[in-house]
Amino acid sequence: MREDEILQAVVPFYAEIERLGYSVRASTDFDEIQRLVLQTGRAKQTPMMSISRNDFTADRAFWLFLYKGDEVVGGVAAKYDRLSGESFTSYLRRTSREQYGRDSDPIAHIARPVEDLIQGNIVYIGELEFRSDHRGRLSLLETFAKLIQGLVALKWSDFDWMYAIVPEDHLKFDHVYGFFVTIPDAITWKTPLPEGRLNSHAILAVEGRHIEHLLVSALARFKRRRNREGLQKPG
């Protein structure tokens, strides 16, 4: 998918966000990000995306914030890593040991589909949070998720896989998040489990070469939804 094609696919998501009564802004100002994250309702950052624990640069990570007027009411983050021949399972084991302060590998087992599929240049999507009074609108969640996926495709057009780690009860939203691969029980942790991690967590993923279909199909779905809404308005 060429950059101009990605851009054409991303622009309508901005319009959809505005139609829903919100706006967005991306940031790579990491001092600002630390302040804004707290306004989304998130008590603290996860080790994978903690700015105080990672040496992020503007070409390796960014945050997207959701605004209602002048107030920050939501946010999500993305980070990019080149595995450069290292396997994804090796990367997960190595970085988890550092992130959770363990002397040895904290992972007992990684599901075979994770090992077989995810590789190369990878993008992690995480830190998704909406303030409590702005939750519950699936159309907003889907638009926000698609927007960051489109921005990832623009910023890191050479990515091979994009993935997220979600609780089991979020799998009912996998069509909203829009990843094409769902791997339940993806990582089994040694006891004691790291803070914020459960053996029931799933990995959602999409291959870079499929990002065009992800974005285009979402736009078609938004159009159908708007048409239905138009038909339901009193004439």
Side-chain angles (χ1 to χ4, degrees):
M1 193 174 188
R2 299 194 312 268
E3 185 172 316
D4 60 329
E5 293 174 324
I6 299 173
L7 185 59
Q8 289 175 17
V10 170
V11 167
F13 294 117
Y14 281 98
E16 184 70 7
I17 285 282
E18 292 178 358
R19 190 182 77 87
L20 294 170
Y22 295 82
S23 61
V24 294
R25 185 171 67 85
S27 179
T28 55
D29 180 334
F30 298 111
D31 288 334
E32 174 192 56
I33 288 166
Q34 285 183 300
R35 296 192 303 271
L36 295 183
V37 163
L38 296 176
Q39 296 177 38
T40 69
R42 177 171 287 274
K44 62 180 179 179
Q45 294 187 289
T46 60
M48 284 185 77
M49 295 303 295
S50 172
I51 290 172
S52 63
R53 299 178 65 169
N54 291 276
D55 295 325
F56 289 135
T57 58
D59 62 352
R60 186 171 166 242
F62 73 94
W63 268 250
L64 183 68
F65 291 101
L66 180 70
Y67 284 78
K68 184 69 173 179
D70 295 328
E71 294 184 67
V72 174
V73 298
V76 67
K79 73 167 181 174
Y80 172 84
D81 286 299
R82 290 179 179 270
L83 295 186
S84 300
E86 182 181 13
S87 70
F88 184 54
T89 53
S90 170
Y91 167 84
L92 284 176
R93 292 179 183 278
R94 174 176 56 80
T95 56
S96 294
R97 184 174 63 246
E98 296 167 356
Q99 289 161 1
Y100 297 109
R102 300 293 177 85
D103 294 329
S104 59
D105 180 5
I107 295 176
H109 175 72
I110 296 174
R112 182 63 182 270
V114 177
E115 294 188 49
D116 289 348
L117 293 174
I118 302 177
Q119 58 186 305
N121 301 329
I122 59 173
V123 176
Y124 171 70
I125 304 291
E127 303 278 290
L128 177 64
E129 189 77 40
F130 282 5
R131 213 172 65 185
S132 60
D133 52 337
H134 291 268
R135 296 174 188 164
R137 298 181 67 182
L138 291 184
S139 57
L140 177 62
L141 175 60
E142 183 175 13
T143 306
F144 194 55
K146 294 302 181 296
L147 186 51
I148 193 167
Q149 289 169 330
L151 293 177
V152 161
L154 279 174
K155 186 176 179 67
W156 300 303
S157 59
D158 64 343
F159 83 92
D160 296 299
W161 283 90
M162 184 191 309
Y163 74 102
I165 300 174
V166 302
E168 185 177 30
D169 62 356
H170 280 215
L171 290 181
K172 60 179 178 275
F173 301 127
D174 61 354
H175 67 291
V176 174
Y177 292 137
F179 295 88
F180 291 158
V181 176
T182 300
I183 307 172
D185 305 318
I187 304 172
T188 303
W189 300 90
K190 295 177 183 176
T191 305
L193 274 63
E195 182 182 1
R197 291 294 182 222
L198 296 172
N199 292 333
S200 58
H201 278 171
I203 285 182
L204 305 180
V206 62
E207 199 168 357
R209 61 181 176 166
H210 296 154
I211 193 69
E212 178 179 7
H213 182 71
L214 183 149
L215 298 174
V216 170
S217 64
L219 289 175
R221 190 161 53 255
F222 290 173
K223 184 176 180 179
R224 291 192 294 269
R225 185 167 63 217
R226 288 195 297 271
N227 288 341
R228 288 195 301 270
E229 290 171 355
L231 290 173
Q232 291 169 4
K233 289 180 180 178

